[in-house]
Amino acid sequence: MAKWTPKHEAPEPLEGPVVATITGGTIIWFVLFVVQLPFYGWFDDHGHTWWVWTCLAGGGLGLIGIWYVRRREAAVKRAAERESAGERAERPTAPSAE
C-alpha cells in the first residue's frame, strides 16, 4: 500500500477570538449541567444520567481549555514582541549629520 502524500500545503490556522469562543462554550456546558440537575431523577429512571455528567465534564474540560488558550495567547504575544524587538535591534540607525 502506497503512503498517502498531500497534494497541496495545509492552510494556515485561523486566528480569531479563541479565548471568547472557549469561554462561551464552557459557559454553555455549565448552564446545561445546571438546567439538567432538577431533572436528575428522570434521567436516572430512563438510564440517561450520562447526559448530566457529560455536561459537567464538558464544563470542566472547558476550564482547562480556557487556561490553555490564555497561556497560548500570552506566549504568542511575547514571541511577537521579542521578534519585533529583535528586528528593531538589527536595523542600523542612520548616522547623525554633525
Side-chain angles (χ1 to χ4, degrees):
M1 182 154 75
K3 183 178 178 182
W4 179 81
T5 55
K7 294 181 175 148
H8 53 81
E9 290 185 33
E12 290 293 319
L14 296 175
E15 293 294 331
V18 180
V19 176
T21 303
I22 301 299
T23 302
T26 302
I27 290 169
I28 290 171
W29 279 116
F30 278 124
V31 166
L32 288 171
F33 173 71
V34 171
V35 167
Q36 290 180 4
L37 276 180
F39 305 102
Y40 187 82
W42 183 90
F43 287 115
D44 193 28
D45 293 342
H46 292 85
H48 296 303
T49 54
W50 65 271
W51 289 9
V52 177
W53 302 120
T54 299
C55 293
L56 183 61
L61 290 171
L63 292 175
I64 295 169
I66 292 169
W67 172 80
Y68 177 81
V69 296
R70 289 183 73 200
R71 287 189 52 137
R72 179 188 176 277
E73 192 171 88
V76 168
K77 284 181 183 177
R78 280 193 310 270
E81 288 172 3
R82 273 192 234 125
E83 186 176 305
S84 67
E87 288 176 4
R88 284 193 301 257
E90 291 176 4
R91 283 190 221 150
T93 57
S96 60
E98 291 181 2

